Amino acid sequence: MPGAIYAEGLVKTFGDVRALDGVDLDVPEGTVLGLLGPNGAGKTTAVRCLTTLLRPDSGKAVVAGIDVLEHPNEVRRSIGLSGQFAAVDEYLTGRENLQMVGQLYQMRAKAAKARAVELLEQFHLSDAADRPAKTYSGGMRRRLDLAAALVVSPPVMFMDEPTTGLDPRNRQQLWEVIKQLVSGGTTLLLTTQYLEEADHLAHDIAVVDRGHVIARGTSDQLKARTGGERVEVVVHEREHMATAAEVLAGFGKGSTTLEEHTRKLTVPVTGGAKLLAEVIRELDIRGIEIDDIGLRRPTLDDVFLSLTGHAAETEAEEDDPEADTGHQSEKEAAK
């Protein structure tokens, strides 16, 4: 039986750009699917198709047991959406924004007011509740937008890069809110470029690149596909990086990654602590001074590099040539 979010063969094109090219997804009820990929991979287009903001060219989509193409209005009543850009009315206060969303969902005025108070407290916005949203910082607007998506406690939530623009403290707070939602039975599809976020929150991860789902599994399963461990070395002098790379290549089981700005080199290895000692010895023999060295398990960064050949954050957004107007489109989804 399909999960709370189900897609089969979704295709969406914009002119010559094939933003989605046969995407399949299945998210069981009460779980989090992390949709991971670079800008231009198709993540936002997939979210827009599943939330009725775009109509796919072909394929099937079912959300909360409702066919997205046949009954879009019913789908909108069953979901919450926080898009890539904060969709708040800058001239209303934080409190008024939340009450307005509640009334769009046909809540009674008293209930909408009470829910607004709860959410303002939950998202640490109570002190700014009666200030116009245009006076909010970027992080505060983002939190207000997320609060608006939760006004009616929907059974299915879509969050498109929800923590973009948040500082580490606010990001951690949002992660706790997401965990509480899911523990209460909410199903969540979360797109992100923060690999740590997917690792921390998602029960399952789908890696998307160029409109395709290229891998699917838990964080540990995806890391196991990459295999082995990683030796990371930070050299003291930048001019020694090339020599250090030669040394690591002699021990590595794959290509060495160099980060010029941090003077860090990383290579996949097998052999554990014994091999690490040999690497240190060889670097010392070659006269290469190091600031740091360590052995670690693969991260989702390594997974993404292994699967796609490039980092998770790459070129500018290309998956939807139609610019995201944010405010209007997402409020329409609430109606």
Side-chain angles (χ1 to χ4, degrees):
M1 183 176 179
I5 303 171
Y6 177 78
E8 182 180 334
L10 283 186
V11 173
K12 182 64 182 177
T13 58
F14 299 96
D16 295 331
V17 178
R18 201 170 179 85
L20 298 180
D21 194 8
V23 168
D24 298 330
L25 298 171
D26 193 358
V27 189
E29 186 175 342
T31 66
V32 180
L33 173 68
L35 205 57
L36 187 65
N39 286 333
K43 305 186 306 295
T44 295
T45 300
V47 167
R48 290 177 181 171
C49 288
L50 290 166
T51 56
T52 77
L53 296 176
L54 283 176
R55 187 176 181 87
D57 299 330
S58 61
K60 180 179 182 180
V62 178
V63 174
I66 306 165
D67 190 294
V68 173
L69 299 181
E70 292 184 6
H71 305 288
N73 289 334
E74 293 182 28
V75 170
R76 291 169 189 162
R77 296 188 188 102
S78 303
I79 65 172
L81 167 63
S82 177
Q84 238 178 20
F85 303 98
V88 299
D89 190 317
E90 294 186 344
Y91 294 96
L92 298 179
T93 66
R95 189 188 310 277
E96 290 168 342
N97 265 283
L98 297 182
Q99 290 176 190
M100 176 188 69
V101 172
Q103 290 172 331
L104 287 173
Y105 277 107
Q106 300 181 349
M107 294 175 66
R108 293 183 180 276
K110 186 176 181 180
K113 288 180 181 180
R115 182 60 174 154
V117 170
E118 292 175 10
L119 290 167
L120 289 165
E121 178 68 26
Q122 186 176 16
F123 283 87
H124 306 280
L125 291 169
S126 295
D127 290 345
D130 297 310
R131 282 169 39 196
K134 66 181 179 180
T135 67
Y136 285 16
S137 67
M140 291 170 69
R141 291 189 195 191
R142 195 63 176 138
R143 278 147 51 203
L144 180 62
D145 179 67
L146 292 167
L150 298 173
V151 167
V152 294
S153 302
V156 178
M157 275 289 301
F158 294 85
M159 293 186 177
D160 194 6
E161 301 189 14
T163 60
T164 298
L166 297 186
D167 60 37
R169 179 172 174 270
N170 285 322
R171 187 173 297 145
Q172 289 283 347
Q173 289 174 347
L174 178 60
W175 287 357
E176 292 305 313
V177 170
I178 290 173
K179 287 180 179 179
Q180 291 171 15
L181 284 172
V182 177
S183 66
T186 299
T187 304
L188 173 63
L189 189 150
L190 169 78
T191 80
T192 184
Q193 289 186 15
Y194 294 114
L195 303 172
E196 179 192 6
E197 188 162 271
D199 209 355
H200 192 78
L201 294 175
H203 297 91
D204 210 10
I205 296 169
V207 182
V208 182
D209 196 34
R210 297 180 176 88
H212 298 276
V213 176
I214 60 173
R216 176 79 185 258
T218 65
S219 176
D220 285 341
Q221 287 170 343
L222 291 176
K223 290 174 185 176
R225 285 183 56 171
T226 305
E229 299 166 307
R230 300 292 188 274
V231 167
E232 284 187 346
V233 178
V234 178
V235 300
H236 185 66
E237 300 289 345
R238 185 168 279 104
E239 55 263 31
H240 289 159
M241 289 186 69
T243 307
E246 291 178 12
V247 172
L248 293 181
F251 294 95
K253 300 299 180 181
S255 59
T256 302
T257 302
L258 285 74
E259 296 180 12
E260 291 283 347
H261 63 293
T262 59
R263 307 185 309 282
K264 184 169 72 174
L265 301 91
T266 306
V267 66
V269 298
T270 56
K274 182 180 179 182
L275 180 135
L276 185 63
E278 293 174 6
V279 172
I280 294 171
R281 188 179 305 113
E282 184 63 24
L283 289 169
D284 185 56
I285 290 171
R286 300 287 287 270
I288 301 171
E289 186 178 353
I290 61 174
D291 291 339
D292 194 17
I293 189 168
L295 189 69
R296 63 165 175 78
R297 292 185 62 208
T299 66
L300 287 178
D301 283 293
D302 300 317
V303 171
F304 203 89
L305 282 166
S306 174
L307 291 170
T308 69
H310 54 78
E313 296 186 54
T314 58
E315 67 277 0
E317 186 68 47
E318 293 178 352
D319 69 335
D320 184 357
E322 297 178 358
D324 186 349
T325 56
H327 293 268
Q328 184 63 31
S329 61
E330 286 164 22
K331 284 177 183 170
E332 286 298 323
K335 292 183 181 180

